[in-house]
Amino acid sequence: MGINRNNIAELISRVEILEKKLGVTHIPKGLKIGDEFELADINWKILDITDAGYMCIGDSLGNKIFDGNSNNWNKSSLRTYLNGELYEKISKEIGKDNIVSFKRDLLSLDGQEEYGETDDFVSLLTVDEYRKYRKFIPNTGDWWWLITPWSTPCNNYRLTVAVVTPSGNFNYYDCGLNFGVRPFCIFSSSIFGSEE
């Protein structure tokens, strides 16, 4: 029995169905800064490529509160969700070894260091990162969270967090409000193999 084009098309279709059931993910090869790809039902954009890996921001996951009681990212319920449920969802597709842990500087907008740093697998951008990568982040018409506190309890601020406005500026709002969540990750270079 010979192989014809219909048999090949059917075989490819079956392989794709099996891969989807097994959680195999295909990320296009040869992507560069500014390119987009889909992973874990999220559209991601590459903001930078460093020795650590590919720094990527996802489209909004919808609105969620930052936290009901504190603008400290380290204690945030949103941080718990991103580094728990969302991290598990992404790792099912590409493996935990391909999501790089990275330090998050919780320096407030007015220079307070009270909150220190965290280590995250999935995070949000800081104000400084947003400014650095702004040219790759078009306005979305939505409000979305950053992790930078406006200030800290030493200045009687414990609830206000920086947000990106629909026009692309940043402002601050109470951490108990619902704003968009754009996950930020560093993915291992190995999942983006070269085209060669």
Side-chain angles (χ1 to χ4, degrees), residues 39 90-91 93-100 186-192:
L39 174 64
I90 297 168
S91 66
E93 290 203 25
I94 61 171
K96 291 185 177 184
D97 291 346
N98 290 312
I99 308 169
V100 179
I186 300 177
F187 297 120
S188 169
S189 299
S190 65
I191 66 171
F192 295 93

Side-chain angles (χ1 to χ4, degrees), residues 36 45 130 133-141 144 166 168 182:
E36 298 182 7
K45 180 178 275 191
Y130 176 69
Y133 299 118
R134 176 70 170 106
K135 63 186 167 195
F136 302 114
I137 304 172
N139 296 345
T140 63
W144 47 281
R182 298 197 66 186

Side-chain angles (χ1 to χ4, degrees), residues 15 63 69 71 93 112 118 152 155 161 164 168:
V15 168
N63 291 345
N69 301 307
N71 64 353
E93 290 203 25
Q112 301 300 323
T118 62
T152 60
N155 281 332
V161 182
V164 176

Side-chain angles (χ1 to χ4, degrees), residues 42-152:
I42 300 168
N43 188 61
W44 297 87
K45 180 178 275 191
I46 300 168
L47 299 179
D48 207 350
I49 301 172
T50 68
D51 290 343
Y54 284 60
M55 300 173 75
C56 303
I57 188 170
D59 284 349
S60 180
L61 305 176
N63 291 345
K64 297 188 181 306
I65 66 167
F66 185 92
D67 189 78
N69 301 307
S70 176
N71 64 353
N72 183 349
W73 177 247
N74 193 36
K75 297 178 180 179
S76 167
S77 56
L78 182 54
R79 178 177 184 248
T80 300
Y81 164 74
L82 293 176
N83 284 278
E85 188 177 325
L86 185 61
Y87 169 69
E88 291 299 326
K89 181 179 179 181
I90 297 168
S91 66
K92 280 183 184 174
E93 290 203 25
I94 61 171
K96 291 185 177 184
D97 291 346
N98 290 312
I99 308 169
V100 179
S101 174
F102 59 111
K103 291 239 179 266
R104 309 307 290 133
D105 185 353
L106 304 182
L107 179 70
S108 69
L109 198 63
D110 65 344
Q112 301 300 323
E113 298 176 340
E114 192 171 341
Y115 293 155
E117 295 179 332
T118 62
D119 288 303
D120 290 342
F121 288 101
V122 184
S123 190
L124 304 175
L125 292 176
T126 65
V127 164
D128 290 333
E129 290 164 341
Y130 176 69
R131 285 189 288 225
K132 180 177 181 178
Y133 299 118
R134 176 70 170 106
K135 63 186 167 195
F136 302 114
I137 304 172
N139 296 345
T140 63
D142 298 312
W143 296 83
W144 47 281
W145 293 115
L146 300 172
I147 66 169
T148 303
W150 202 252
S151 189
T152 60

